[in-house]
Each structure stands twice: as C-alpha cells, then as structure tokens.
Amino acid sequence: MAPAGGPGAKKGILERLENGEVVVGDGSFLLTLEKRGYVKAGLWTPEAVVEYPNAVRQLHMEFLRAGSNVMQTFTFSASEDNMESKWEDVNAAACDLAREVAGKGDALVAGGICQTSAYTHHKDEARVKRLFQRQLDVFARKNVDFLIAEYFEHAEEAMWAVEVLKALGKPVAATMCIGPDGDMHGVSPGECAVKLVKAGAAIVGVNCRFGPSTSLKTMKLMKAGLQAAGSKAHLMVQSLGFHTPDCGKGGFVDLPEYPFGLEPRAATRWDIQKYAREAYKLGVRYIGGCCGFEPYHIRAIAEELAPERGFWPPASDKHGSWGSSLNMHTKPWIRARARREYWENLLPASGRPFCPSLSQPDV
C-alpha cells in the first residue's frame, strides 16, 4: 500500500464523499493547545492563531501527517460577541494557517463556526445570523473549500447557521454536540438531522461533548431519522478522545473532571481504531475527532481505514501496525505483544486504585 501522496489537483469534499472515499477529519485544538500553554480555559477563544501562529501551524501539521484530509480553521468561538475587535484578524489568520498546511498535502480547508452566546441570552435570529455572516465574509474572502457549522446544542441555532453558510454556494457540513437524548429543547437526533438537511446541509452528524461509543449511538439515531424522512445526506462524526459513558445530557462539560482532570479517560489508539471501523460500517465516511483527540488518534483512524483509502499516512512510518514494531524488543514478553489480538482485547488499567471508574455529573 502506497504512502499518502503530496500536493496536486484536489477533489472537493462532496466529490470525495460521493465517490465513497473516507475523509479523515482533524482533532483537538482547544484542549490540546491549552495543555501546551497557548489557549486559556474559560471562553476557549483562539487568539493563538495571531499570538502563537507557530503552535497552531505545528498542530495542523501533526494532523496532516497523521492522515487528516481536512484542515479546519481554528475559529471556534471566534465570533464578534466573544472576541470583540480581535475577531476579524483571528478568523483571517486562522484561514491562512489552515491553507498553508493544507497545501502541503491532499487536504481541504474548512471554515468553521459554532454556537453563540447570543442565542442563549437573546434568541434573536437576526443578531445571531449577523454574527455568523461576519465570519462567513472572512471565509469567502479567504476562499475556503467548504464550511462547517459545529458544536450546536440547539437545532434551531444550527439551522440558522446552515441557512447563513449555504448562501456562499459552497458545501456545508453541520454537526451538533448532542447525545442520544437529543438537543437541549428535546429535539431528537433524527429530527435534528432532518432539520439540518432541510436547512441546506449536505453533511450532518455530531461532534464533541460525548465519547466514541456514545457518539456512534447518536449517529445511528440520526441515520435512522434521515431514512425515515426520506432525506439524504453524508454522515460525519467527530467524537471526544475521552470515554464518557457516565455523561448526562450535557456531555462531558458536566463531569467533575472537566476540563483539567480528563486524562484518565483518554481513549487508546486501539479504541479509536474500533471507533473508526464501527463508524465506517455504519455508513459514516467523514470521520475525525474533537476535544482530546490527539494526532495519534487521527493516525489510528487513518491506519484502520488504510485498506479502504488505499494508502498509509506519513506518520505511520514510525508506527508498527497493531504493535508489530515490538517484534524488535529484547524482552520476550514484550515481543509477545506484537499482535492485533493482544491490543484489541486489552482492558487497560488506570493506575489509580482509589479512584472510581465513573463519575456523577454535576448537572
């Protein structure tokens, strides 16, 4: 199997998906850059694109090497209501960084927006849409390849976002940060998916808030809802890189460990290979990650689906599939771990004997 190719003529996102290709998304920016010392927790705004562009560029590069087909602009919470006078420079710089790195491989640039605080406080449709339009104007000027409306708790606001974004005439993906119980107004996952398609989204799914297994349960409900309504869309999933079976409706933000004590919940690379395979079997062809989803997790998706994609990502040069590189170890019991069965069936310990395996959400 050949390694990933270099720059060349690039197919658009819909052309790739309609051909049945696997599109590998990117992963965590906010939590990862916070850990690295470039983002401040709280509002989680992305000033780093202008304050520390090399840090953002480096993370984009790590995701590209790991196998990502999409460089999403680091514009989460970069609307005017969150960033005041900084918002325009941040959005523009984020586009430039994503485009620079995407040009080093077969990756597309996606301009990203997310839910607003204005919706929660005012529910003023015109005001919220103006915020989305301002970011879209920057994305249009920077000529992003497609658009993503992500991290929406409310179907209504997500629909408003799609309605604004589709006016540019580029493909729109829309993902909600919901679990199997649906959005915060009680709209089911299936209904959410249908509403997003009716609003104009060509790609729908979920991102963030919930771990791999819960996210896939929600995707099954979205797929069923679309089928029942006779609606068609490509499916997309970008889960947390953490296990969160004990989440309530609000997801991991309601867990007592959020955001600074989540490390014991981190998914292994093998967990993510399973996630990628299950997503693929479900019919999801745009597969990536969100908070806690590190470059090695993206590599796990790319390696698991390498037979379908027809190539390995560059980062696999330093990684033996299913631990095969352990064959070179001097200790025989470690060499014995150089096989898929060992890692697939491992139940990893947390190393924390006095800690519970699950938590009680605060809400």
Side-chain angles (χ1 to χ4, degrees), residues 193-207:
V194 171
K195 287 177 180 290
L196 294 174
V197 172
K198 287 182 177 178
I203 307 163
V204 298
V206 296
N207 82 294

Side-chain angles (χ1 to χ4, degrees), residues 43-47 49 73-92 94 112-119 127-139 150 152 157 161:
L43 275 179
W44 299 105
T45 47
E47 292 93 341
V49 297
T73 59
F74 184 30
T75 47
F76 183 89
S77 286
S79 57
E80 187 180 18
D81 63 332
N82 286 328
M83 303 200 72
E84 299 178 342
S85 62
K86 301 177 186 176
W87 74 272
E88 188 168 8
D89 288 343
V90 165
N91 279 270
I113 64 171
C114 68
Q115 66 183 7
T116 66
S117 55
Y119 177 83
R127 180 175 179 172
V128 170
K129 283 186 170 181
R130 277 196 301 272
L131 291 170
F132 294 148
Q133 184 64 52
R134 291 201 162 204
Q135 285 187 271
L136 180 61
D137 290 343
V138 178
F139 298 153
E150 68 168 5
F152 284 88
E157 189 184 15

Side-chain angles (χ1 to χ4, degrees), residues 15 27 86 98 146 157 208 226 230 240 269 271 278:
E15 183 181 359
K86 301 177 186 176
F146 70 104
E157 189 184 15
C208 206
L226 290 169
L240 295 175
R269 64 196 70 191
D271 294 331
E278 290 182 356

Side-chain angles (χ1 to χ4, degrees), residues 150-178:
E150 68 168 5
Y151 198 82
F152 284 88
E153 297 175 296
H154 304 95
E156 181 179 55
E157 189 184 15
M159 291 170 63
W160 294 351
V162 172
E163 288 165 1
V164 171
L165 295 182
K166 72 177 182 180
L168 187 59
K170 299 199 178 207
V172 177
T175 56
M176 300 195 63
C177 54
I178 60 172

Side-chain angles (χ1 to χ4, degrees), residues 198-271:
K198 287 182 177 178
I203 307 163
V204 298
V206 296
N207 82 294
C208 206
R209 288 288 182 96
F210 297 88
S213 60
T214 304
S215 294
L216 291 177
K217 289 176 185 176
T218 310
M219 289 304 304
K220 289 177 184 177
L221 295 172
M222 281 192 159
K223 181 179 180 180
L226 290 169
Q227 291 175 334
S231 297
K232 291 185 179 180
H234 299 289
L235 300 178
M236 172 179 179
V237 63
Q238 301 209 112
S239 84
L240 295 175
F242 305 112
H243 294 295
T244 60
D246 42 351
C247 276
K249 188 170 183 175
F252 82 138
V253 296
D254 295 337
L255 292 174
E257 298 93 345
Y258 174 84
F260 303 128
L262 291 163
E263 287 83 358
R265 294 174 175 267
T268 69
R269 64 196 70 191
W270 319 119
D271 294 331

